[in-house]
Amino acid sequence: MTLPLSRGILDSVPTARETVDPLTLLLEGPVALDGVVEGPVTGVSAFLLDPTGRLAVLAPTGGHTAVRREGAAVRADADTPFATIPADEGDPDPRRGALGAGHGHGDGTVSLWHPEPRAAVALAEGTNAAMLIGRTRDGVVHVAVRVADPVERPGITWANLRWCAHLLPDDESALACEAVALVQWHRQASFCQRCGSRVETTSAGWTTTCPACGTIEYPRQDPAVIMAVVDEEDRVLLAHNSAWRPGFWSVLAGFVEAGEAPDRAVRREVLEEVGLEVGEVRFLGAQPWPFPRSLMVGYSARLAPGSAAEVHVDGVEIDRARFFTREELGEEISAGRLEPPGPTAIARAMVEEWYGGPLPESPRRIDPLRQA
C-alpha cells in the first residue's frame, strides 16, 4: 500500500539542530556543518512555505498534470474545469479552476521550488522563520523558509500539500510533510502551556523554549484511526459525513481518546457512528496528516462473526453509510455520483487496497494545485 505522505528517507541530522542556525547555514553553505554532522554534505538547499503552510512548487508544463498513483495516471486538461476533491475531514466549499501552463517537470510530477539560498534568506519572514528539515539521500541538507507573503515568479505556484503530495518525488514529499507539520505546530504553540509567556523557537525550529520558566515543548501529532470495514460478502463500508459536500464518501475515521489503544478506538468508532460490531482488526499502515497535526493509523476491520450488516448512522456526524461491492463502487465513481477520497489521503490507498487496484477515473477532474 503506497502512502504519499509516508515516502522518502531523511537523515534528521539532530546534532546540527542544536548547534547551527538555519539561516546561517543557508548563507555559509556546507562549511557550516564541518565537524557537526557525520557523512558527506554535498550541498545546502532551501524551499519556501507561506504562513499557512502552502508550498512554493514548480508547476507541470503543457497545461496538464498527471495524477501518479501506482503507475496509473489521470489526465486533467487545462480547458476542463476541475471539481476539487476534499480531504479525509471533508470540504464543504468546493472551488473550481484550471491549471495554467508553467515551468516545471514535463513528466507530470510536481517539484518543490528551490531558490538560491541567499535569496531565500532575504525572503524569510524573520530570524525564526527557517527550519532545518534534514539531509536527503543525495547528501543535500534542506532548510524550509517561511515567507511573509507568497512570492510571485513565472512558473511558480503556491500549493497545499494535502492536494499535491502524491505528485512530489519521494524525498521531497518527506521534506514537505515535515516542514508543513512544523509550520502548523508553530502557529498553535506561540505561548507556554505552563505559565502563558510567549515562547522562543529553538533547536532549528524543532522545539520551543519558554524564557520565563524554561519549559521546552516538542512538536506532536494527534493519533486518529481510520478503518476500512468489510462484511462477510467482502463489501466495503463507505460513509458521508454531515460536514462534507454532497457526493463525497470515505471510510470511517476518528481520534484515539486519552488512554485508549488504537484497535479499541476502531471498535468504538464503528459502533458509535454506524452501529456495527467489528471482530478482526488488522493494521494496514500509517501516515502523518499535518492539517493541522494528525497521525492517521489505518486498519482493516471485519464485522463480528454472525453480526448483521445493518447500518444505523448516528445522524449527527454520519448522515449516510452503506456497503459497496467492487462493481457497485466502480460504477458509482465512473458515473460521477460518488467522489472517492483524494489521492493524497490514506483513505484512498485503503480503498484501493480492498478494490484490488486503482479506482476508476471520475468525471470530476482533480486540481492538485488548487490554492486553498
Side-chain angles (χ1 to χ4, degrees), residues 298-319:
Y299 288 89
S300 66
R302 289 195 169 273
L303 293 188
S307 63
E310 297 178 0
V311 176
H312 301 282
V313 299
D314 62 15
V316 179
E317 184 174 356
I318 302 297
D319 56 19

Side-chain angles (χ1 to χ4, degrees), residues 197-215:
S197 300
R198 182 173 287 277
V199 298
E200 299 174 349
T201 301
T202 47
S203 300
W206 286 91
T207 62
T208 61
T209 301
C210 177
C213 69
T215 297

Side-chain angles (χ1 to χ4, degrees), residues 27-371:
L27 292 172
E28 297 183 0
V31 67
L33 296 173
D34 286 351
V36 176
V37 300
E38 296 182 359
V41 176
T42 60
V44 174
S45 181
F47 61 99
L48 307 182
L49 303 91
D50 73 6
T52 68
R54 290 188 306 166
L55 297 150
V57 301
L58 293 169
T61 58
H64 72 274
T65 183
V67 179
R68 187 183 59 191
R69 288 186 294 102
E70 302 282 3
V74 178
R75 184 179 174 88
D77 296 302
D79 57 357
T80 302
F82 293 98
T84 58
I85 299 295
D88 285 335
E89 294 87 345
D91 183 355
D93 182 23
R95 300 168 177 82
R96 291 180 178 270
L99 277 179
H103 301 285
H105 288 196
D107 59 1
T109 63
V110 170
S111 63
L112 297 175
W113 178 44
H114 298 279
E116 291 295 324
R118 289 185 176 274
V121 172
L123 294 169
E125 186 177 25
T127 56
N128 293 322
M131 299 160 287
L132 179 58
I133 304 302
R135 176 169 51 185
T136 46
R137 286 171 284 191
D138 57 3
V140 177
V141 174
H142 296 265
V143 175
V145 177
R146 189 179 66 246
V147 300
D149 298 300
V151 180
E152 300 295 335
R153 294 286 191 279
I156 304 300
T157 190
W158 291 82
N160 192 313
L161 184 66
R162 74 163 68 196
W163 312 121
C164 72
H166 59 293
L167 299 178
L168 291 169
D170 288 357
D171 286 354
E172 290 204 342
S173 173
L175 290 168
C177 190
E178 292 196 7
V180 170
L182 285 178
V183 167
Q184 298 289 5
W185 175 60
H186 283 295
R187 290 178 69 188
Q188 300 181 4
S190 299
F191 298 92
C192 177
Q193 296 186 32
R194 177 171 294 178
C195 73
S197 300
R198 182 173 287 277
V199 298
E200 299 174 349
T201 301
T202 47
S203 300
W206 286 91
T207 62
T208 61
T209 301
C210 177
C213 69
T215 297
I216 299 175
E217 293 287 345
Y218 299 86
R220 59 197 62 190
Q221 299 181 108
D222 299 323
V225 291
I226 183 166
M227 41 277 181
V229 179
V230 295
D231 65 5
E232 292 182 349
E233 299 176 31
D234 203 31
R235 299 180 300 171
V236 71
L237 179 70
L238 297 182
H240 178 269
N241 188 297
S242 58
W244 294 344
R245 69 177 179 136
F248 175 68
W249 290 55
S250 185
V251 294
L252 299 177
F255 285 105
V256 179
E257 294 185 344
E260 185 179 42
D263 59 321
R264 289 176 55 194
V266 170
R267 294 181 168 86
R268 175 184 54 78
E269 286 285 345
V270 175
L271 185 62
E272 290 177 355
E273 295 185 348
V274 294
L276 294 173
E277 183 180 351
V278 299
E280 178 190 356
V281 173
R282 181 171 62 90
F283 174 73
L284 293 177
Q287 78 166 10
W289 190 249
F291 315 110
R293 62 180 202 187
S294 297
L295 175 66
M296 306 303 297
V297 186
Y299 288 89
S300 66
R302 289 195 169 273
L303 293 188
S307 63
E310 297 178 0
V311 176
H312 301 282
V313 299
D314 62 15
V316 179
E317 184 174 356
I318 302 297
D319 56 19
R320 282 170 290 166
R322 56 162 288 195
F323 285 96
F324 292 84
T325 66
R326 291 170 179 81
E327 293 73 19
E328 289 170 340
L329 181 58
E331 182 178 322
E332 292 291 304
I333 294 173
S334 297
R337 294 188 293 266
L338 183 150
E339 279 188 31
T344 295
I346 188 175
R348 177 63 164 255
M350 293 168 61
V351 173
E352 291 187 336
E353 180 84 357
W354 163 84
Y355 191 76
L359 294 175
E361 178 179 345
S362 170
R364 306 185 185 199
R365 298 293 189 256
I366 301 168
D367 181 4
L369 301 184
R370 57 175 291 184
Q371 296 300 298

